[in-house]
């Protein structure tokens, strides 16, 4: 046989054996992750902790920026001090120019697609927002326009632009332990956020002819250089957010004198930009038990009318942050409340236009305080001096110490004081503030790689957000976290594993937010228990705060700190698209066969008598029989049925007992009920089997079978239950509290149940013809006109 054919034959034999052997198939579900995870080293240990030689780079910034309110643009200059803490010598530096995503020729714009049906009711249709974005992309002068790239000596440096990245070639190699000062000047046209989208931009208020600016991804930032991947120089496309280095920032922001500015960090010149009254109110807010207005509604409305020709410079300082964002407007109301607990001493603050009242003044700062209180209990004490929520055009986006959040009340056009909001808006606002403020912990402090692994910040944060929502009020309308909410996604088509690059994710919200959050909730509630999980999760947060964890560091830390092997869990939930569908197929009831012929003959006779009568037997009842009245036709077998015990049976039983050990004879007299429960794993995802057992005495029993029950056969297992004689099992329910995201509850009951639902009846509407449509009166502003 040719060698190639021999190898092929052996491969076929091996794969056939693998498919046939349930132990090998099951082994795939419980196989350790070592082949998928990077090898531990001196930088990242096998326990999931940073190694004794762990390092990360430092990037410090001094930035001066001026806002041109007349032209919606800014001009700026920065000096970056980049310190090489790595063991490597660097010949060039990579920087991120994420604002270049909005350039007409960016990869993000060129790769963007639309979905337009070419047939059916929705043929040749596209939403106005998408079309407007295409139009604005063609005309808006977006992107960072560089005016200077030089070293400390002012000598120009050679640089190369690669989409949203810039490589700067160094004049000399930057050796380990050395620093380099890089000076960059640039101009940037701010875009209208609702037109071009994104995580930054301005909003225009026609009523009072004012702008509100939320500025982010606005300055050239150092790309990450790490032990795990070297330069993290992936372009900014869409979903994959930001991978950044920690540093200290000094940022001077020059704006019109009547603008109010908020930003990452501490305001260092309050005497120059705030009134005495505002400074006094800030001091009062630090000790207040509810928000204090720094700028009231009346003051903000008055400030809207001003048009100062002068400028003010607001100076901010932020240490140990990975990014810097800010907001500016003459429209801002401002309220604040201090929070001091444990190791946290911070000022929670909200900035919002009059259009956001009375919703924002009621909930924003309160939600910040609540978020910090809950997140501290599950991770570490919030270390920064401020935590800020800003209302503007961006619906929800996070930065160190500052977040942009969107929901506002609905305003009656005829009576602006008439303001209402829906239930969805109220809880949407609280939710987005909890979520975005929570991002201060993940990834602003636990500094994961968002551009590669969205789930490491969005998923983990959505999980803790869920805990904070539950602590806000009873029956909070939470989504991400509740297992039952993820069921439709788990059984849907077109999925990819959680462990997928951010830009390749399908069904982004479910994959990157809801599924990992739900997985962690299940891990906490069902697999580890709250105590073990909370200890391990807090250990992860403490180990990796102000450091850069990778997925393996999270997986390994959770196992290391909990003491539980979770490779099967990570493999199933994070590396596959399997779903949970555990079926209870059959329940069989047994009692021990005593071997005693007198007892067993009676048992068999009873079983025979309890069988249902056949249709023939029913219809033959009362029918005359041949032997009726003929005793001569009857014999021994008419007096003794097939279940009669004989003396030989009794003698054999006695001989058998004589050969048994005492404990074996006792077992034959055991009167327990024995149940065999047959389960099928139809979804492929191995999980614990959670049971609710009901008995004929009216009692119930909860039982949890660990996921390892599937270790020898991942498709079918049988569990034996032994219960006292007086407890007869009447029903079994799998996952009675919907805690495993089981996608099919129809097969979770034994005996099967008929589950109630509702049938919706509808009547088709008759379409109007063209003459009827033409005859309709013309309506303007809700009024009919002739």
């Amino acid at each position: 046989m040719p060698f190639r054919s021999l190898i092929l034959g052996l491969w076929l034999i091996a794969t056939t054996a693998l498919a046939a052997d349930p132990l090998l198939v099951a082994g795939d579900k419980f196989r350790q992750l070592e082949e998928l995870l990077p090898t531990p080293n001196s930088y990242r240990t096998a326990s999931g902790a940073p190694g004794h030689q762990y390092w990360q780079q430092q990037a410090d910034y001094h930035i001066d920026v001026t806002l041109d309110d007349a032209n919606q643009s800014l001009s700026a200059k920065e000096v970056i001090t980049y310190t090489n803490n790595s063991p490597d010598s660097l010949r060039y530096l990579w920087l991120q120019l994420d604002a270049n995503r909005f350039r007409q020729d960016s990869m993000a714009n060129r790769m963007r697609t639309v979905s337009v049906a070419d047939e059916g009711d929705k043929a040749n249709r596209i939403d106005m927002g998408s079309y407007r974005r295409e139009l604005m992309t063609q005309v808006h002068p977006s992107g960072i326009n560089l005016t200077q790239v030089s070293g400390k000596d002012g000598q120009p440096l050679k640089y190369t632009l690669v989409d949203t990245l810039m490589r700067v070639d160094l004049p000399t190699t930057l050796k380990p332990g050395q620093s380099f000062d890089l000076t960059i000047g640039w101009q940037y046209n701010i875009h209208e956020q609702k037109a071009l989208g994104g995580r930054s931009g301005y909003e225009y208020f026609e009523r009072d002819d004012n702008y509100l600016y939320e500025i982010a991804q606005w300055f050239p930032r150092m790309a990450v250089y790490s032990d795990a991947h070297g330069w993290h120089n992936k372009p900014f496309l869409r979903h994959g957010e930001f991978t950044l280095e920690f540093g200290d920032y000094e940022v001077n922001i020059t704006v019109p004198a009547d603008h109010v500015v908020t930003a990452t960090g501490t305001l260092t010149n309050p005497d120059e930009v705030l009134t005495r009254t505002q400074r006094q109110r800030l001091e009062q807010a630090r000790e207040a038990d509810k928000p204090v207005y720094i700028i009231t509604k009346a003051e903000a409305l008055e400030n809207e009318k001003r048009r100062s020709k002068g400028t003010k410079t607001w100076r901010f300082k932020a240490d140990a942050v990975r990014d810097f964002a800010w907001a500016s407007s003459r429209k801002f109301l401002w309220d604040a409340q201090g929070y001091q607990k444990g190791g946290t001493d911070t000022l929670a603050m909200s900035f919002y236009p009059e259009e956001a009242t009375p919703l924002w003044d009621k909930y924003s700062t309160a939600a910040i305080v609540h978020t910090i209180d809950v997140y501290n209990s599950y991770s570490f004490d919030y270390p920064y001096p401020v935590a800020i929520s800003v209302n503007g055009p961006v619906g929800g986006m996070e930065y160190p110490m500052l977040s942009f959040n969107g929901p506002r009340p609905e305003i009656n056009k005829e009576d602006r004081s008439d303001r209402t909001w829906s239930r969805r808006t109220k809880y949407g606002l609280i939710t987005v503030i909890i979520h975005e403020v929570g991002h201060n912990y993940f990834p602003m402090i636990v500094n994961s790689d968002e551009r590669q692994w969205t789930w490491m910040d969005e998923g983990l944060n959505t999980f803790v957000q869920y805990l904070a929502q539950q602590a806000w009020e009873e029956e909070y309308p939470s989504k991400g976290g509740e297992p039952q909410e993820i069921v439709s996604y788990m059984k849907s088509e077109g999925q990819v594993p959680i462990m997928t690059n951010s830009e390749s994710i399908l069904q982004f919200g479910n994959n990157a937010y809801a599924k990992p959050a739900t997985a962690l909730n299940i891990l906490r509630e069902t697999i580890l228990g709250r105590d073990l999980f909370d200890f391990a999760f807090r250990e992860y947060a403490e180990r990796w705060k102000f450091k850069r964890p990778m997925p393996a560091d999270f997986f390994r830390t959770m196992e290391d700190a909990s003491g539980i092997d979770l490779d099967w869990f990570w493999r199933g939930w994070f590396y596959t698209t399997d779903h949970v569908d555990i079926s209870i197929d059959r329940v069989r009831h047994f009692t021990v066969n005593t071997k005693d012929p007198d007892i067993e003959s009676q048992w068999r006779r009873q079983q025979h008598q309890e069988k249902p009568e056949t249709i023939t037997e029913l219809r033959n009842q009362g029918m005359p029989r041949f032997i009726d009245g003929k005793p001569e036709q009857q014999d021994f077998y008419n007096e003794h049925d097939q279940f009669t015990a004989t003396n030989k049976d009794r003698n054999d039983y006695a001989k058998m007992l004589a050969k048994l050990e005492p404990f074996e004879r006792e077992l034959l007299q055991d009167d327990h009920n024995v149940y065999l429960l047959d389960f099928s794993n139809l979804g492929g995802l191995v999980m614990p089997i959670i049971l609710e057992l009901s008995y004929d005495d009216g009692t119930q029993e909860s039982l949890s079978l660990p996921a390892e029950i599937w270790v020898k056969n991942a498709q079918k297992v049988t569990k034996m239950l032994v219960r006292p004689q007086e407890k007869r099992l009447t029903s079994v329910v799998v996952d009675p509290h919907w805690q495993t995201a089981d996608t099919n509850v129809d097969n979770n009951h034994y005996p099967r149940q008929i589950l109630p639902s509702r049938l919706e009846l509808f009547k088709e509407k008759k379409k109007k013809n063209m003459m009827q449509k033409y005859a309709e009166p013309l309506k303007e502003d809700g009024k009919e006109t002739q």
Side-chain angles (χ1 to χ4, degrees), residues 10 164 194 204 324 372 396 403 408 429 451 520 535 563 587 607 674 677 698 750:
L10 292 174
T164 63
K194 297 300 182 185
Y204 176 66
F324 190 99
I372 292 173
S403 62
R408 291 177 187 157
L429 174 62
R451 190 146 295 176
L520 294 180
F535 178 85
V587 176
Q607 298 304 305
V674 179
L677 281 60
Y750 196 92

Side-chain angles (χ1 to χ4, degrees), residues 351-631:
F351 294 78
Y352 44 95
E354 181 273 339
E355 287 79 358
T357 63
L359 188 63
W360 267 69
D361 38 358
K362 185 176 182 67
Y363 291 117
S364 179
T365 299
I368 298 173
V369 170
H370 175 70
T371 302
I372 292 173
D373 193 58
V374 173
Y375 275 67
N376 279 10
S377 67
Y378 290 106
S379 56
F380 45 77
D381 289 340
Y382 182 76
Y384 291 135
V386 295
I388 303 165
S389 171
V390 181
N391 177 244
V394 179
M397 188 58 200
E398 71 279 2
Y399 303 95
M401 307 186 218
L402 178 143
S403 62
F404 300 152
N405 304 298
R408 291 177 187 157
E410 298 177 33
I411 302 175
N412 188 321
K413 293 182 180 180
E414 297 180 356
D415 180 5
R416 290 184 57 82
S417 65
D418 180 12
R419 302 187 179 192
T420 59
W421 51 86
S422 66
R423 176 182 176 87
R424 179 178 180 180
T425 297
K426 170 190 171 178
Y427 289 105
L429 174 62
I430 298 169
T431 293
V432 75
I433 291 174
I434 292 174
H435 183 86
E436 305 305 348
V437 172
H439 270 309
N440 277 286
Y441 299 79
F442 311 96
M444 299 302 149
I445 296 173
V446 180
N447 186 22
S448 57
D449 182 353
E450 296 180 86
R451 190 146 295 176
Q452 175 67 25
W453 305 115
T454 298
W455 71 267
M456 284 198 75
D457 70 294
E458 299 296 358
L460 268 63
N461 185 46
T462 300
F463 163 68
V464 189
Q465 165 201 322
Y466 170 77
L467 300 177
Q469 289 169 335
Q470 298 304 300
W472 178 273
E473 69 179 49
E474 190 174 359
E475 296 188 7
Y476 191 102
S478 301
K479 294 296 182 181
E482 279 292 346
Q484 199 60 21
E485 297 291 340
I486 200 68
V487 163
S488 60
Y489 168 70
M490 293 290 284
K491 61 184 179 182
S492 68
E493 300 292 330
Q495 291 187 55
V496 293
I498 291 175
M499 287 293 291
T500 298
N501 174 268
S502 298
E503 299 302 335
S504 300
I505 293 173
L506 305 177
Q507 305 190 62
F508 192 81
N510 279 320
N511 178 287
Y513 292 69
K515 184 177 178 181
T518 302
L520 294 180
N521 186 39
I522 291 172
L523 188 61
R524 181 175 188 253
E525 298 284 16
T526 301
I527 296 166
L528 293 182
R530 292 187 174 188
D531 290 344
L532 276 183
F533 179 94
D534 291 350
F535 178 85
F537 192 79
R538 191 177 295 110
E539 180 68 15
Y540 166 73
E542 286 283 359
R543 283 180 176 182
W544 289 98
K545 64 182 180 182
F546 297 109
K547 296 182 177 67
R548 178 173 293 105
M550 295 299 168
D553 303 315
F554 176 68
F555 298 151
R556 285 168 168 159
T557 294
M558 292 300 292
E559 293 193 20
D560 178 71
S562 70
I564 303 296
D565 182 358
L566 296 171
D567 281 21
W568 64 269
F569 182 82
W570 309 128
R571 182 180 293 279
W573 278 91
F574 286 76
Y575 286 89
T576 78
T577 57
D578 291 344
H579 61 272
V580 182
D581 183 4
I582 296 174
S583 169
I584 179 161
D585 301 325
R586 183 171 56 158
V587 176
R588 289 170 282 168
H589 179 207
F590 300 88
T591 51
V592 172
N593 187 330
T594 65
K595 306 296 186 180
D596 186 332
D598 290 307
I599 295 175
E600 295 307 316
S601 63
Q602 292 297 324
W603 187 89
R604 290 195 297 272
R605 181 178 293 112
Q606 181 180 351
Q607 298 304 305
H608 177 75
Q609 293 170 350
E610 291 178 355
K611 289 194 307 183
E613 291 184 281
T614 69
I615 188 63
T616 300
E617 289 171 338
L618 283 170
R619 291 175 177 173
N620 285 348
Q621 286 180 4
M623 183 179 74
R625 310 290 180 162
F626 173 77
I627 67 170
D628 291 346
K630 297 180 180 181

Side-chain angles (χ1 to χ4, degrees), residues 136-390:
M136 292 300 296
T137 298
Q138 304 304 314
V139 299
H140 183 76
S142 298
I144 287 179
N145 301 306
L146 296 169
T147 58
Q148 179 183 358
V149 178
S150 64
K152 187 175 184 180
D153 56 4
Q155 292 297 313
L157 295 175
K158 181 181 177 182
Y159 65 89
T160 302
L161 295 177
V162 184
D163 198 56
T164 63
L165 298 163
M166 176 171 70
R167 190 191 74 237
V168 176
D169 298 334
L170 298 174
T172 58
T173 298
L174 186 64
K175 296 180 179 179
Q178 292 184 336
S179 297
F180 183 81
D181 288 342
L182 177 62
T183 300
I184 302 176
W186 75 98
Q187 183 272 340
Y188 172 51
N189 292 304
I190 307 166
H191 68 270
E192 183 180 358
Q193 196 277 334
K194 297 300 182 185
L196 284 178
R199 298 156 173 83
S200 179
Y202 70 78
E203 178 179 6
Y204 176 66
F205 294 81
E206 186 176 5
R207 177 183 64 83
D208 50 284
D209 188 29
N210 269 303
Y211 291 86
L212 190 160
Y213 300 91
E214 292 181 326
I215 308 299
Q217 293 86 60
W218 59 284
F219 63 101
R221 303 175 293 180
M222 292 304 307
V224 165
Y225 185 78
S226 78
D227 64 282
H229 298 294
W231 284 109
H232 294 230
N233 49 3
K234 293 183 175 67
F236 181 32
L237 299 178
R238 181 178 51 169
H239 292 312
E241 289 183 343
F242 312 109
T243 308
L244 301 162
E245 300 284 12
F246 283 111
D248 299 336
Y249 284 72
E250 292 184 17
V251 182
N252 305 317
I253 305 171
T254 301
V255 297
D258 46 18
H259 268 225
V260 175
V261 178
T262 182
T264 296
T266 302
L267 179 65
T268 61
N269 64 333
D271 293 347
E272 298 175 14
V273 295
L274 301 181
T275 67
R276 177 180 297 179
T277 299
Q278 290 167 347
R279 298 196 300 272
Q280 290 174 344
R281 291 171 178 172
L282 273 173
E283 288 305 312
Q284 295 170 5
R286 292 186 183 279
E287 304 300 327
D289 58 2
K290 61 182 179 180
V292 173
Y293 282 108
I294 314 305
I295 298 176
T296 67
K297 181 177 179 179
E299 291 166 345
L301 288 172
E302 185 62 29
N303 199 44
E304 284 182 354
K305 304 172 185 176
R306 300 174 183 171
R307 293 296 182 274
S308 175
K309 294 183 179 179
T311 62
K312 283 184 180 178
T313 299
W314 298 61
R315 304 181 188 279
F316 293 89
K317 188 175 190 304
D319 294 335
V321 294
R322 58 171 236 161
D323 200 359
F324 190 99
W326 52 284
S328 181
S329 180
R330 58 177 60 88
K331 291 180 63 64
F332 281 141
L333 285 77
W334 177 5
D335 70 52
Q337 178 184 343
Y339 176 90
Q340 299 88 29
K341 187 177 179 181
T344 297
D345 184 357
T346 194
L347 196 59
M349 301 189 290
S350 296
F351 294 78
Y352 44 95
E354 181 273 339
E355 287 79 358
T357 63
L359 188 63
W360 267 69
D361 38 358
K362 185 176 182 67
Y363 291 117
S364 179
T365 299
I368 298 173
V369 170
H370 175 70
T371 302
I372 292 173
D373 193 58
V374 173
Y375 275 67
N376 279 10
S377 67
Y378 290 106
S379 56
F380 45 77
D381 289 340
Y382 182 76
Y384 291 135
V386 295
I388 303 165
S389 171
V390 181

